[in-house]
Amino acid sequence: MKELRCMTYTSKGASEILVAGTQDQMFTIDVERGEISKQIYTSDQYMSMKRSRYICAATPTGSVNILDSVTLKLIKTWNAHASTISDMDAQHDFLVTCGYSLRQHQTYMLDPLVNVFDLKNMISLPPIPFPAGAAYVRMHPRMSTTSIVVSQLGQMHMVDLMNVNTSNIRQANVTSYLTAIEIAPSGEALAFADAECKVHLWGSPSRIRFAELSQPVELADVEAPVPELDWSQDTPLSTVGMPYYREQLLSAWPSHMIFEIGAPPVKLDTQFLASLMVMDGVQCTANPKIARRNQVLNTRLVDKTSSIQAPKFLSEKARESANTPNQASMDRRISDVADALGAAELLSLKAEVPVMYRNVEIKYSKFGVDDFDFGFYNKTRYSGLEIHISNSYANPLLQVLHFTPLVRNLALQHAATGCVNSLCLLCEMGFLFDMLEKAEGSICQATNLLKTFSNHPQAGPLGLLEEDNPGTSLTVMLQGLNRFLLDKLAQDYRSMPPHSLAFDQLLATSATTMIRCMNCRSEHSRPGTTFVNELVYSIPKNTSRGTRGPKVSFSQILKSSVERDSTSRGWCSRCQRYQSLATRKTVHGIPAVLILNAAISSPEAKILWSSPGWLPDEIGIIVDRGQFFCYEGEDLKLHLQRGIHSITVYSLVGLVADVDSGQHQKSHLVSLVNVAHSMPEAPVESAWHLFNDFLVRPIKKEEALTFNTSWKSPSIIAFQRKDANNNLDDSWKQNLDQSLLYMDNNNHVDEKTYIRLDPVSERPAPGSIIALDTEFVSVRQPEIEVNSDGERATIRPIAYALARVSVIRGPSPSFNSSLEPGTPFIDDYIATSEPIVDYLTSYSGIVAGDLDPAQSRHNLVPLKVAYKKLWILLNLGCHFLGHGLKQDFRVINIHVPRPQIIDTAEFFFVKERLRKLSLAFLAWYLLKEEIQRETHDSIEDAKTALKLYQKYLEFTDAGIMETMLRDIYAKGREVGYKAPQARLGGPLEVPDGLGTPGRKSGM
């Protein structure tokens, strides 16, 4: 080795360096072993080297050779200057150089231009004019497109490479010429060295601190004297100092690698110990019976609360409130105080999982899920979702999409069209979003959407069904569901005329992928779009021992993830064999809604997410000449102030987080959403909320954006263009396709039980009264656990499926006056693909064959068609009349606002009696009619409810409603609240959980 002039790190990082000089050989040196590992022949001599995407080596003739950082082979030669190169720098995708040219009188002078080379596309960019003569050049380490050019006399230009006509000019106060410059890795300071051996430091004194010496002198550590302690039983342990440390302690062992072995023994009472007697060398006494037979106390978890304590059932609260009216307000005050205490601290920094992040469970009484107090967990006006439904792990993703206005608008617009595709997920999403908005804090369930998803033929093979993959991580499944769902939503939107690409444009990041064979150098391009971008954590390694590398920002990770430059093995059609293929993307367009999969799989990624404030709530994106640039924080503000580039600002809408509750509970998913972006008007402050299934709580922004990767890790992140925030489009209500109400595909003409609406004379309008009744079948038996004492506990409730829907005309001018009120216009039987375990014929009137398309003589329709008819009537403003409608709405999976409900079970009800009256009993007592003698009929029940409503109006107008209620309950006590025919020979009493609640109380 001789005349070595330059060196740089290779692709192996700090473990290997490449050295070269004025000779025909380069050397790679293994730093750890201290020996030459390879000798490489080169036809050029090198004076300077810089490494970024490639190794850039400057020759004495003014050219720059671009070398592959892995193979060290020559890729391209760039003739930068006519004579020699004075200085150069390379960072990310750019290489900048300044140098000399031979002028008149045979003298070398500095060029008045700084040349710029694009390392990604391998092309020259417009040079930077610098009349003073460019002697030194540096790329800003934090601002990827900013370059600093300095002359020998101290003139500085800060130039944006994307717009070379704008620059920021400064002058260093030097009395001689400069000999060297350098910029700090943080970008906060500049250092100049001049010919008088002075160093000039430039930076902000309030932000930068410089040492007086270039390198501190290493001195021996002085042992501090050990303080003397007066050690006794009363000495606090806090007086014992802890050593300072920089690395993670061994005691900070990952939670997933901690396993509890054994358990502490049971604490024995002193009286028990005193009663011990010695017999044959063994101490014994009578069993204190502190545990049940064949059961062992769990002494490890005695004092720990693993989840939120379940509230009392509504039926219990109703009985207690009748005795102690102030109990309900007391419970609410206690809960409000707990919320205030929880909001006063940052819970995500705690080592243990906070209570509001833990699993929530539904408890079931003998009255089923309707008796559970969901309101205890949610006092906001934003609705949660139930969890006892298959594949409900999708709930957090659905909440995030619901609060993304642009997605919400297109989903509702599509649902309002005439789409009747049974597998259309976009329609079901529109129905769900409408239900969540109408519920205003009441509990909802995504039953129909998740059922449609479960029946989709592609969901199972992709491993997205929870019942088929019990051991798969929910985060992995949800990220797969995210990709699947967005793709299907775009397809569904395109399926309806005019076959618009609006949904694709909303979500798609369009780019062209260039694929180059590393062996034969052949290239081919492949255009494409993606709806979900996977984050790739390309974190640079430390360049020297004992120092930390530059902090990687979220914007840098996003940039590298979208551009996605990578090398992998693949088939080369030219080489006809598998080769190393380098891929790089040229980005053409960015979406209005940016959906990201966090894809955290490495310790480095977890460290990034655990940094406070690492995820910004706003980012700015620029796409220029196929390159993707992302900014946040102060960099974003600076670009907005400059206004040079067209920058798109995105707001963080929400995210889904995986919560690992520890060894004794399985992990689950929650969503954290800034609901302020989906309000009709933008509020002054953000409004972050935690959606833990049906638990909904307002939280601070810092709490939402703080992650503790030992138990709280992000899974999916959603950004939306800032100018689309609060853009709620409800024009779909005026464009609602009503044609389905007037269609009739029933081929059994002689057996019709209804008369369809006349499209000319009958137009349901706001306030139109329609009477509704439904019948159900059972598709899943309840799962009941019986303990050793014989007590029964419901693990999973019975599951119903809609079997029949009947809707009749009420007294309204919207309907044909020639038809009597009570004439049905909908009587649909529902074709179901689920196996039916019980037709419940005694209570539903449904028999085997009624729901079979091959045998049924009824108007058999898909669930989607029957549901959409009711959804159209709901959004036309019709009032739904019936008896005990709560259970009907639950099985239909629709939410009707309270002003649109006319429930006769509530009209003929006295709260203090704690008993609702059945439809059959009221019909017998008030209408003198006998119904439900052998079975139930939904048309008959709907007509009866309409007659009871007319009776209610009569009693109210006469002012005798309270008197009639007393008489009704008095008669009910006499006959056991059952119609005489039912008591003597009618059907048996409806079991718990079957039929409409209003009916079963008197059956």
Side-chain angles (χ1 to χ4, degrees):
M1 294 187 291
K2 61 180 180 179
E3 295 293 327
L4 297 180
R5 297 293 183 89
C6 53
M7 67 178 180
T8 185
Y9 290 111
T10 66
S11 61
K12 296 182 179 180
S15 63
E16 186 180 77
I17 59 174
L18 173 68
V19 296
T22 57
Q23 54 186 338
D24 58 357
Q25 281 187 328
M26 298 187 299
F27 305 93
T28 59
I29 299 176
D30 191 320
V31 176
E32 296 179 353
R33 296 182 179 179
E35 60 185 19
I36 297 175
S37 57
K38 187 189 299 183
Q39 298 183 18
I40 305 102
Y41 172 79
T42 175
S43 58
D44 295 306
Q45 300 177 356
Y46 297 122
M47 309 298 292
S48 176
M49 282 186 177
K50 295 288 183 179
R51 176 177 174 265
S52 62
R53 180 186 292 268
Y54 302 98
I55 295 177
C56 305
T59 67
T61 60
S63 63
V64 179
N65 288 348
I66 311 300
L67 307 178
D68 191 301
S69 59
V70 178
T71 63
L72 303 180
K73 293 182 179 180
L74 178 65
I75 297 176
K76 187 178 181 63
T77 299
W78 177 42
N79 295 319
H81 298 274
S83 295
T84 186
I85 292 178
S86 172
D87 196 8
M88 73 173 185
D89 198 9
Q91 181 174 284
H92 300 303
D93 300 331
F94 299 101
L95 168 66
V96 290
T97 65
C98 54
Y100 293 89
S101 297
L102 189 63
R103 304 296 176 85
Q104 296 178 357
H105 310 295
Q106 301 297 314
T107 59
Y108 290 95
M109 297 184 64
L110 290 169
D111 284 340
L113 296 174
V114 176
N115 292 328
V116 184
F117 189 77
D118 186 347
L119 294 173
K120 183 176 182 180
N121 299 311
M122 291 295 178
I123 58 174
S124 297
L125 298 179
I128 303 171
F130 193 78
Y136 308 98
V137 62
R138 289 291 182 273
M139 292 294 296
H140 196 285
R142 299 289 295 277
M143 303 168 68
S144 58
T145 63
T146 300
S147 178
I148 302 171
V149 187
V150 184
S151 71
Q152 285 186 328
L153 299 179
Q155 187 178 121
M156 294 179 289
H157 286 199
M158 296 183 65
V159 186
D160 189 345
L161 299 182
M162 308 309 296
N163 188 356
V164 297
N165 296 322
T166 60
S167 62
N168 190 356
I169 303 175
R170 293 287 187 272
Q171 177 65 48
N173 187 17
V174 295
T175 58
S176 62
Y177 63 90
L178 298 180
T179 59
I181 73 165
E182 195 53 73
I183 185 170
S186 64
E188 302 285 357
L190 280 167
F192 305 106
D194 62 15
E196 298 178 353
C197 300
K198 295 180 181 178
V199 177
H200 303 262
L201 302 178
W202 279 63
S204 175
S206 61
R207 302 177 65 179
I208 303 301
R209 295 292 182 270
F210 293 100
E212 295 181 359
L213 301 175
S214 60
Q215 185 174 356
V217 178
E218 294 185 5
L219 301 175
D221 296 333
V222 179
E223 293 186 4
V226 179
E228 295 183 0
L229 294 178
D230 184 12
W231 192 258
S232 64
Q233 292 184 348
D234 299 328
T235 303
L237 294 177
S238 59
T239 58
V240 180
M242 294 293 292
Y244 294 100
Y245 59 91
R246 294 182 180 274
E247 303 297 330
Q248 191 174 27
L249 297 179
L250 186 61
S251 58
W253 200 255
S255 61
H256 67 279
M257 297 181 65
I258 297 177
F259 304 94
E260 295 179 343
I261 304 299
V266 179
K267 294 183 179 180
L268 300 178
D269 186 67
T270 55
Q271 295 181 355
F272 173 80
L273 295 175
S275 63
L276 291 174
M277 298 179 295
V278 179
M279 297 181 62
D280 298 330
V282 178
Q283 291 183 321
C284 59
T285 188
N287 187 354
K289 296 182 179 180
I290 58 176
R292 295 191 179 102
R293 185 172 55 185
N294 299 327
Q295 290 188 356
V296 179
L297 289 178
N298 190 346
T299 58
R300 184 184 292 111
L301 299 176
V302 169
D303 298 328
K304 294 184 180 180
T305 56
S306 60
S307 60
I308 299 176
Q309 186 176 2
K312 296 179 180 179
F313 292 113
L314 295 177
S315 56
E316 295 177 339
K317 290 187 175 183
R319 288 192 294 269
E320 292 179 359
S321 61
N323 301 325
T324 56
N326 296 327
Q327 183 65 32
S329 60
M330 180 65 68
D331 292 343
R332 178 169 290 275
R333 286 198 298 271
I334 293 173
S335 181
D336 290 343
V337 170
D339 289 346
L341 292 175
E345 54 183 336
L346 209 58
L347 300 178
S348 293
L349 295 178
K350 289 189 172 183
E352 293 187 358
V353 182
V355 173
M356 70 177 182
Y357 281 98
R358 297 181 186 175
N359 281 305
V360 288
E361 297 180 359
I362 300 176
K363 302 296 182 181
Y364 306 99
S365 71
K366 64 179 181 179
F367 299 109
V369 70
D370 289 332
D371 202 23
F372 187 74
D373 185 11
F374 290 102
F376 176 84
Y377 297 87
N378 183 11
K379 300 180 182 66
T380 71
R381 58 189 181 92
Y382 305 104
S383 297
L385 293 170
E386 294 183 15
I387 57 174
H388 59 82
I389 309 164
S390 296
N391 301 308
S392 59
Y393 76 92
N395 286 350
L397 177 59
L398 299 177
Q399 290 283 16
V400 172
L401 295 177
H402 167 229
F403 288 103
T404 306
L406 293 180
V407 176
R408 173 256 186 205
N409 293 342
L410 292 185
L412 287 170
Q413 289 173 14
H414 180 81
T417 65
C419 177
V420 292
N421 180 11
S422 297
L423 293 177
C424 180
L425 290 169
L426 188 56
C427 273
E428 296 297 341
M429 188 166 289
F431 299 151
L432 176 63
F433 291 172
D434 185 50
M435 177 167 57
L436 289 170
E437 293 177 7
K438 286 182 169 63
E440 295 183 345
S442 301
I443 188 64
C444 295
Q445 60 273 0
T447 308
N448 289 354
L449 188 150
L450 296 179
K451 187 181 297 183
T452 303
F453 163 66
S454 301
N455 293 333
H456 201 286
Q458 297 180 17
L462 291 175
L464 303 179
L465 301 183
E466 196 171 9
E467 59 269 20
D468 296 340
N469 303 274
T472 306
S473 165
L474 290 183
T475 291
V476 174
M477 291 181 63
L478 190 74
Q479 290 175 352
L481 173 64
N482 189 26
R483 292 185 290 268
F484 168 81
L485 187 60
L486 296 183
D487 182 65
K488 295 306 173 187
L489 295 181
Q491 291 182 20
D492 292 340
Y493 195 84
R494 292 194 302 267
S495 65
M496 292 297 294
H499 308 293
S500 170
L501 297 177
F503 214 102
D504 295 73
Q505 297 167 358
L506 177 72
L507 297 171
T509 302
S510 58
T512 300
T513 303
M514 300 297 297
I515 304 174
R516 177 167 55 92
C517 176
M518 303 296 289
N519 182 54
C520 66
R521 304 298 175 182
S522 62
E523 286 191 3
H524 68 276
S525 62
R526 184 177 61 200
T529 59
T530 179
F531 295 150
V532 180
N533 288 284
E534 305 273 344
L535 292 184
V536 178
Y537 302 92
S538 54
I539 302 172
K541 297 182 179 180
N542 295 350
T543 57
S544 61
R545 297 182 180 180
T547 62
R548 293 185 178 181
K551 183 179 178 182
V552 181
S553 66
F554 176 82
S555 298
Q556 292 172 314
I557 294 296
L558 181 57
K559 171 181 170 63
S560 62
S561 302
V562 173
E563 293 184 334
R564 208 62 178 269
D565 291 0
S566 62
T567 302
S568 60
R569 297 282 294 178
W571 180 260
C572 176
S573 57
R574 184 173 178 180
C575 299
Q576 289 296 306
R577 60 183 301 179
Y578 284 96
Q579 299 285 5
S580 294
L581 302 180
T583 61
R584 54 186 173 87
K585 283 187 178 180
T586 301
V587 181
H588 304 302
I590 53 177
V593 176
L594 182 63
I595 306 292
L596 308 173
N597 279 350
I600 300 175
S601 58
S602 63
E604 293 81 8
K606 292 184 178 181
I607 292 174
L608 288 178
W609 281 103
S610 61
S611 303
W614 191 72
L615 177 64
D617 60 346
E618 277 191 4
I619 59 174
I621 295 177
I622 299 175
V623 174
D624 187 29
R625 301 178 186 177
Q627 297 189 41
F628 180 95
F629 303 96
C630 186
Y631 305 95
E632 63 180 82
E634 296 298 327
D635 291 345
L636 175 59
K637 293 179 182 178
L638 180 61
H639 277 79
L640 292 174
Q641 291 173 358
R642 288 179 177 178
I644 300 174
H645 302 286
S646 176
I647 186 167
T648 304
V649 181
Y650 288 80
S651 298
L652 178 62
V653 174
L655 57 98
V656 179
D658 184 289
V659 176
D660 184 2
S661 300
Q663 184 179 355
H664 299 284
Q665 291 190 15
K666 64 178 182 180
S667 64
H668 64 288
L669 301 168
V670 302
S671 55
L672 303 112
V673 182
N674 186 2
V675 300
H677 299 323
S678 60
M679 295 180 180
E681 295 183 0
V684 179
E685 298 180 353
S686 61
W688 284 88
H689 282 65
L690 166 70
F691 291 84
N692 185 2
D693 291 318
F694 53 81
L695 183 150
V696 184
R697 288 285 191 273
I699 58 175
K700 295 180 180 180
K701 169 186 169 183
E702 295 77 13
E703 172 68 33
L705 302 186
T706 301
F707 300 95
N708 187 335
T709 51
S710 63
W711 60 267
K712 178 186 176 185
S713 302
S715 177
I716 294 174
I717 307 102
F719 286 91
Q720 179 184 254
R721 289 181 55 149
K722 189 175 182 180
D723 55 10
N725 291 344
N726 311 106
N727 180 18
L728 302 181
D729 183 8
D730 289 330
S731 60
W732 60 273
K733 294 181 180 179
Q734 285 72 44
N735 303 322
L736 189 61
D737 189 328
Q738 306 176 31
S739 60
L740 195 61
L741 295 176
Y742 305 97
M743 292 182 182
D744 188 7
N745 298 320
N746 187 0
N747 298 323
H748 308 292
V749 180
D750 299 334
E751 301 180 10
K752 284 188 178 181
T753 55
Y754 61 94
I755 300 176
R756 69 175 179 86
L757 293 177
D758 183 13
V760 177
S761 61
E762 294 184 298
R763 288 286 176 179
S768 299
I769 296 178
I770 56 175
L772 167 74
D773 193 75
T774 62
E775 305 295 350
F776 326 131
V777 292
S778 172
V779 293
R780 186 187 69 210
Q781 294 289 5
E783 296 180 16
I784 298 175
E785 183 181 74
V786 181
N787 61 22
S788 58
D789 292 341
E791 297 178 353
R792 297 160 61 91
T794 302
I795 306 303
R796 293 184 72 185
I798 188 172
Y800 298 112
L802 191 63
R804 184 184 180 188
V805 179
S806 299
V807 184
I808 68 175
R809 296 168 173 86
S812 173
S814 301
F815 299 116
N816 193 337
S817 58
S818 63
L819 298 174
E820 295 183 1
T823 303
F825 65 91
I826 295 177
D827 189 23
D828 292 340
Y829 285 71
I830 315 303
T832 178
S833 59
E834 296 180 274
I836 299 173
V837 299
D838 192 349
Y839 284 94
L840 307 175
T841 305
S842 301
Y843 317 111
S844 67
I846 305 296
V847 297
D850 283 349
L851 308 182
D852 185 355
Q855 304 179 34
S856 179
R857 305 291 298 174
H858 305 288
N859 183 33
L860 202 61
V861 300
L863 174 63
K864 168 77 172 289
V865 173
Y867 182 91
K868 194 160 189 176
K869 291 179 183 179
L870 299 178
W871 186 74
I872 293 171
L873 293 170
L874 168 64
N875 285 285
L876 288 175
C878 295
H879 289 189
F880 289 76
L881 184 150
H883 192 84
L885 288 173
K886 185 176 181 180
Q887 181 73 349
D888 296 273
F889 293 153
R890 164 174 281 277
V891 178
I892 296 171
N893 194 23
I894 197 170
H895 182 90
V896 180
R898 189 174 297 275
Q900 291 180 245
I901 298 177
I902 304 174
D903 196 337
T904 54
E906 301 295 334
F907 293 157
F908 296 94
F909 172 60
V910 178
K911 187 176 181 180
E912 290 75 15
R913 300 298 180 95
L914 302 177
R915 185 187 189 100
K916 291 186 178 180
L917 304 175
S918 70
L919 184 66
F921 171 73
L922 290 173
W924 168 76
Y925 184 73
L926 295 177
L927 306 177
K928 312 304 180 186
E929 295 182 2
E930 294 183 356
I931 63 171
Q932 304 173 356
R933 296 198 60 176
E934 296 180 359
T935 185
H936 286 239
D937 182 86
S938 54
I939 292 180
E940 180 186 50
D941 292 350
K943 289 181 178 180
T944 305
L946 182 59
K947 294 176 183 178
L948 285 178
Y949 176 61
Q950 294 170 343
K951 281 290 183 182
Y952 166 77
L953 295 178
E954 293 176 9
F955 296 155
T956 305
D957 292 341
I960 59 173
M961 190 63 202
E962 292 186 4
T963 303
M964 291 301 301
L965 283 175
R966 287 196 295 269
D967 294 343
I968 293 171
Y969 273 92
K971 188 65 177 178
R973 284 194 300 271
E974 292 180 11
V975 298
Y977 296 98
K978 298 179 182 179
Q981 53 86 19
R983 292 187 294 113
L984 295 175
L988 297 176
E989 184 176 353
V990 179
D992 292 330
L994 298 182
T996 305
R999 300 175 192 155
K1000 70 183 180 184
S1001 57
M1003 289 293 296

